[in-house]
Amino acid sequence: MSDAPTATAPMTGRPVLVVDFGAQYAQLIARRVREANVFSEVVPHTMPAAEMLAKEPAAIVLSGGPSSVYADQAPDLDPALLEAGVPMFGLCYGFQAMAKALGGRVERTGLSEYGATRVRILDDTSTLFNGQPREQSVWMSHGDAVVEAPAGMQVTAASAAAPVAAFEDDERRLYGVQWHPEVVHSTFGQRVLENFLLRGAGLAGDWTPSNVVDELVEEVRSQVGQARAICALSGGVDSSVAAALVHKAVGDQLTCVFVDHGLLRSGEAEQVERDFVAATGVDLVVVDARERFLTALAGVSEPETKRKIIGREFIRVFEQAARDIVGAHLGEDDHPVEFLVQGTLYPDVVESGGGAGTANIKSHHNVGGLPEDLQFELVEPLRLLFKDEVRAVGRELGVPDAIVKRQPFPGPGLGIRIVGEVTEERLEILRAADRIVRHELTDAGLDDEIWQCPVVLLGDVRSVGVQGDGRTYGHPIVLRPVSSEDAMTADWTRVPYEVLAKISTRITNEVPDVNRVVLDVTSKPPGTIEWE
């Protein structure tokens, strides 16, 4: 993906490739394909057709994109893909690129359609629209339109501004729609996509994250061999499931390393030992690196620099832990520690610039924050999975619910929830506020409704307040409750006012140097879930 190293799809057979033409919805398309129980992988449109076909795709989906097919330097569809006999489905720009490549006509008609649009289904017995209403609401976003379908294509839908809004060719297994079926605003969108996958492409729809566990285990066993591995265990969902998977594969060749970097929330270390180690029996080494991390972060306020420092120090701590493991536990005939296990997920890869056509939004400590002179080979069995898929794998492996259901917590910890320099004083303020928020949300029964609730300290901001009849000049605390499926998109959670009021009162009464609590009501996009 992009110029970043790619991972092989985890024993999924032949994947459905989502070719990203720069769409904001490319990863969402991949998710929708997986919801049809078919494995998918996003690839950039710049990948040569030969490389795409070398993956032996079961089908190809062409995403939307911001360009006009006739614009200078607009991405083209390689005819080799159309001639390969692979079932293909074009969406929006991908639909127009397919029409143009097959000899149809795409023009700027002066009529645009954006947002909810009514379309007329011209054949409700067709592959894509079988059994659906003759009129339906879809989500459009186009200025150009296909005005003449390619030879051999049956036109199956039309709208006011798009005389050819969908076409099909069952013989060549080529299909397309002008709209975005992947978004919920297209009322029959998922059915249209599933009709392509199951009826048009003839796929079985039998892939689930849990049914590839044995194959993932075999992949890890093959990669690690007889060598030893260490795992960066944080106690969160991602690293815990990765550790459980690798432990199932190589047993006592794995040692988990829990780094207390001083950026943890209250009770983090205790949870790891109580819940995860008790359930799996893994060998756990706890490293106290609090002073090391705080020293390295001293005076640093820029968020990307903080992430890279934390990533670098993580690796250095693991390198020392590997040497210590060798010295303390291994004899002369034992294999060295060659592998580092990480709970890297697909959103981590995408946001760190490893997705197709994706900007580097922020370096995750386990992707963009790794040092160039890394001494280990990485084992990342979850690299192509979304969070909810990882939870399914965890349940299959018997990881305790207390961990599988845990809200996400970033590897860099509270270091990226303090806006400004990270100091011990600021960490203690944030820990106290975070502890109150978690307690009150749990007490209100909201844990299952909230995907994640980062609590942020604006360390470089102070505001005037009144406490105890006197003037104060304290820090604000930001609450960031969000709802999401996979962290690729998110909306702020509507927490009841009475719960917010109780949280605010407790924080301003109980946490020193805080005199204001504010609520972040921004969706993602435009904002990310974490502030830094």
Side-chain angles (χ1 to χ4, degrees), residues 442-466:
T442 299
D443 195 52
L446 295 173
D447 286 346
D448 289 340
E449 296 182 28
I450 298 176
W451 165 271
Q452 190 176 0
C453 186
V455 180
V456 180
L457 172 66
L458 302 185
D460 289 347
V461 177
R462 287 183 179 270
S463 64
V464 174
V466 179

Side-chain angles (χ1 to χ4, degrees), residues 180-193:
H180 289 277
E182 71 274 19
V183 303
V184 296
H185 308 291
S186 293
T187 51
F188 290 87
Q190 185 65 13
R191 191 193 294 189
V192 169
L193 182 57

Side-chain angles (χ1 to χ4, degrees), residues 9 12-19 38-41 43 47-61 80-82 84-88 173 196-197 201 203:
T12 56
R14 300 169 60 203
V16 169
L17 298 184
V18 177
V19 181
V38 175
F39 184 75
S40 60
E41 180 182 353
V43 297
M47 176 181 284
E51 288 186 30
M52 294 186 196
L53 296 175
K55 292 177 175 285
E56 299 184 351
I60 294 174
V61 179
L81 293 178
L82 292 163
V86 179
M88 185 177 294
R173 296 189 295 176
F196 162 70
L197 296 168
L203 305 183

